[in-house]
Amino acid sequence: MNIDQQTTISRIKTLTELHGAPGFEDNVKDYLISAMEPYVDEFVYNRMGGFYGVKRSKVANPKRVMVAAHMDEIGFMITNISKQGMIQFTNLGGVATDIWQGQRLKIKTRNNEEITGVVANIPKHFRTGSEGAPKIEDLMLDIGCEDDASVIARGVQIGDTIVPDTPLTQLSDYRFASKAWDNRYGCLIGLELLELLKDETLDFDLYVGANVQEEVGLRGARAAAELIDPDVAFVVDCSPANDMKGKQNLSGELGGGTLIRIKDGTMLLKPSFRDYLLEIANDQKINHQYYISPGGTDGGEIHKARIGIPTAVIGVCARYIHSTDSVFDIRDYFAARHLLYEATKRLDDDQIQTLQYK
């Protein structure tokens, strides 16, 4: 079956605009469970907050295949409300310190209300020339309140979370800007994989879902892997592109296709898994590119769990991730979805055995 492109874009808009800072992913989780429910037999949960929809096989003692995204995005947590009504915060996840002044961010209160503010920025008129990039803890969010009592009256409290206030914007025929493409990409591809497999009979139980707190140290991945104990795992995540001045080695290029991540700071791709993916990509004429990253994904924890789980990352790259906006090419998403669909559908006991022990 095919999925209409406008349906995919509508889902991207919904997912990227949802508020889901690390440890506070409930809005994303609720949406995904509702959207995935028609395509799975049941859901399983771990105690950290991750969840997986299960598409059951009809064979006896089936293998288990895991497709793992993460729901969280980089963000902030409120640490202080000043007497002047300004809000200070600390980062949740890895962010640069020099990009936030003058940007719009939104708070999610404990009543699930969202409040937009602007990060304070010293106008040029008042600058001395000696100002450097501020530390995150020195930034202040202005939500238009005159004092701390007014902030508190709006339901804002210490410990509430903040993310960029960025709507999805189409920039050209194929390129879009949004927040949180890292990693609502993975949430989307998992949902659409299940839809594409709706009428397929698989030789294994398929677990598709998402973990929490990836951006603060891959914290939710191990709990998910140990709950499912998969025989094979696919991680679906977004990675930084470094192509603004042209292609830079193996660091990602928009429009270059899905990523074959052969090495990162947390995992090496097994040769047998690399060859499996490349054979499919070449056979299906799926646009793809090799990728190396100094960072990592949930695969860094998943592949070490239990007695070892063969794991591959099927990803896309985007420019400017971990900021207010990322720019991505939707053709890369379709290439990744095609590869994940084929790589999942073609698995059988013999192929899984090969991926595990060769």
Side-chain angles (χ1 to χ4, degrees):
M1 65 177 296
N2 293 317
I3 299 172
D4 178 77
Q5 182 168 317
Q6 284 306 122
T7 298
T8 294
I9 292 171
S10 176
R11 287 168 171 166
I12 292 172
K13 178 175 176 62
T14 298
L15 279 164
T16 58
E17 293 179 7
L18 285 171
H19 197 300
F24 297 82
E25 300 92 347
D26 286 350
N27 289 3
V28 183
K29 182 177 178 179
D30 290 346
Y31 169 82
L32 286 173
I33 288 174
S34 176
M36 289 166 59
E37 192 169 18
Y39 310 118
V40 299
D41 298 299
E42 64 176 306
F43 288 97
V44 295
Y45 305 87
N46 64 59
R47 294 172 185 167
M48 288 194 69
F51 80 96
Y52 283 78
V54 188
K55 178 179 171 65
R56 294 289 183 194
S57 169
K58 292 181 170 57
V59 305
N61 302 314
K63 302 289 188 184
R64 293 177 298 279
V65 174
M66 177 186 197
V67 177
H70 70 85
M71 294 177 276
D72 57 314
E73 62 188 292
I74 58 96
F76 305 94
M77 178 181 284
I78 295 173
T79 57
N80 184 53
I81 302 169
S82 75
K83 291 182 179 179
Q84 293 75 32
M86 305 297 281
I87 295 166
Q88 292 177 283
F89 47 84
T90 187
N91 58 297
L92 295 174
V95 297
T97 61
D98 60 347
I99 61 173
W100 300 102
Q101 291 176 290
Q103 301 291 342
R104 292 190 180 191
L105 307 180
K106 58 182 177 181
I107 300 166
K108 185 174 82 170
T109 72
R110 296 176 199 193
N111 294 324
N112 207 29
E113 296 178 356
E114 295 187 353
I115 298 173
T116 295
V118 177
V119 179
N121 184 31
I122 302 172
K124 179 177 176 59
H125 314 67
F126 302 140
R127 290 178 182 264
T128 65
S130 61
E131 294 85 1
K135 297 178 180 179
I136 294 295
E137 55 265 30
D138 294 330
L139 295 174
M140 296 180 291
L141 184 64
D142 185 345
I143 63 169
C145 289
E146 297 181 4
D147 52 34
D148 53 352
S150 301
V151 174
I152 294 167
R154 294 181 67 180
V156 176
Q157 299 183 52
I158 290 173
D160 289 345
T161 55
I162 304 170
V163 299
D165 186 359
T166 309
L168 177 73
T169 302
Q170 186 163 1
L171 304 176
S172 64
D173 287 346
Y174 300 110
R175 294 189 177 178
F176 294 76
S178 77
K179 74 171 183 68
W181 188 232
D182 175 16
N183 183 34
R184 306 295 156 70
Y185 148 74
C187 298
L188 173 70
I189 201 173
L191 166 60
E192 295 202 332
L193 173 68
L194 286 170
E195 185 173 1
L196 291 170
L197 292 171
K198 178 182 178 182
D199 299 319
E200 300 275 357
T201 300
L202 303 175
D203 293 334
F204 49 83
D205 285 352
L206 178 63
Y207 291 75
V208 179
N211 305 323
V212 298
Q213 299 189 44
E214 190 269 357
E215 297 292 3
V216 289
L218 317 183
R219 296 180 186 177
R222 183 174 291 273
E226 293 185 351
L227 169 70
I228 296 167
D229 191 16
D231 294 282
V232 169
F234 295 98
V235 171
V236 282
D237 205 347
C238 175
S239 301
N242 185 26
D243 66 341
M244 290 77 75
K245 296 182 179 180
K247 189 174 182 179
Q248 306 291 316
N249 299 318
L250 301 181
S251 57
E253 181 180 31
L254 262 63
T258 186
L259 307 181
I260 306 293
R261 180 186 280 247
I262 53 177
K263 175 183 181 290
D264 66 29
T266 63
M267 192 184 81
L268 298 173
L269 179 61
K270 288 184 68 174
S272 60
F273 220 150
R274 176 202 63 205
D275 295 345
Y276 177 64
L277 296 178
L278 287 172
E279 180 181 357
I280 293 170
N282 290 325
D283 175 66
Q284 292 290 305
K285 296 180 172 54
I286 299 169
N287 200 19
H288 61 281
Q289 55 186 312
Y290 285 107
Y291 187 80
I292 291 177
S293 174
T297 73
D298 277 343
E301 287 297 313
I302 292 169
H303 84 286
K304 298 184 294 185
R306 299 293 189 180
I307 60 171
I309 299 166
T311 302
V313 181
I314 295 182
V316 295
C317 62
R319 296 172 182 162
Y320 329 126
I321 68 171
H322 288 209
S323 71
T324 56
D325 276 278
S326 56
V327 173
F328 61 92
D329 192 312
I330 199 166
R331 293 172 295 184
D332 296 335
Y333 169 74
F334 292 131
R337 191 181 71 184
H338 189 181
L339 180 59
L340 179 63
Y341 171 74
E342 293 290 343
T344 303
K345 190 176 70 168
R346 296 185 187 201
L347 286 174
D348 56 24
D349 285 359
D350 289 342
Q351 184 61 62
I352 290 172
Q353 178 86 2
T354 297
L355 296 177
Q356 288 177 326
Y357 292 104
K358 292 186 179 179

